[in-house]
Amino acid sequence: MSVRVRRIHEPPRPDDGLRVLVDRLWPRGVAKEAARVDEWPKGLTPSTELRTWFHGGASYEEFRARYEAELGAPEAAGLLDGLRESVREGPVTLLTATRTPERSHAQVLLELLGG
């Protein structure tokens, strides 16, 4: 199993495998062709309400707990299971525009996927 997080602003690499955008909004300044995104499961991303709350200065630990609760909803859980299957089949790169991926929803997903 190989799963990692990279910023979408970085150029694609040959060993990225399946490239999955895990942000709800398309990142500014990134051309879709250049990004080479294979999947964009918006239902797996934090809700707008949760994202806004977190950017308002909430703690990462509380954000993580609330996001994991959102991932328990049927649509998100199904998408997460599908992503787990993709990880079993080959490398997966989770793409995000956040400047601090290690303290974001992408890190939560990485850990849930065994990365």
Side-chain angles (χ1 to χ4, degrees), residues 4-100:
R4 67 175 149 227
V5 173
R6 294 189 58 221
R7 292 197 68 231
I8 194 164
H9 297 90
E10 299 173 27
R13 294 184 2 197
D15 62 343
D16 279 347
L18 182 71
R19 293 173 53 86
V20 181
L21 179 60
V22 294
D23 291 347
R24 186 166 293 265
L25 304 174
W26 187 264
R28 290 185 185 146
V30 177
K32 290 186 179 182
E33 299 78 30
R36 289 195 15 228
V37 170
D38 298 309
E39 294 182 9
W40 187 12
K42 293 180 188 177
L44 195 58
T45 65
S47 67
T48 300
E49 296 79 16
L50 180 57
R51 199 175 70 249
T52 302
W53 174 82
F54 181 50
H55 291 303
S59 77
Y60 175 71
E61 292 73 22
E62 181 64 22
F63 165 77
R64 179 187 185 95
R66 290 181 183 199
Y67 180 45
E68 287 182 4
E70 284 189 356
L71 290 172
E75 179 188 5
L79 290 168
L80 187 57
D81 286 344
L83 204 47
R84 283 188 179 110
E85 183 60 36
S86 294
V87 170
R88 284 191 284 275
E89 293 172 3
V92 172
T93 299
L94 305 177
L95 302 168
T96 183
T98 186
R99 293 184 184 162
T100 54

Side-chain angles (χ1 to χ4, degrees), residues 101-115:
E102 65 280 356
R103 293 190 52 81
S104 74
H105 65 289
Q107 182 65 32
V108 175
L109 289 172
L110 177 71
E111 292 172 14
L112 291 174
L113 294 169

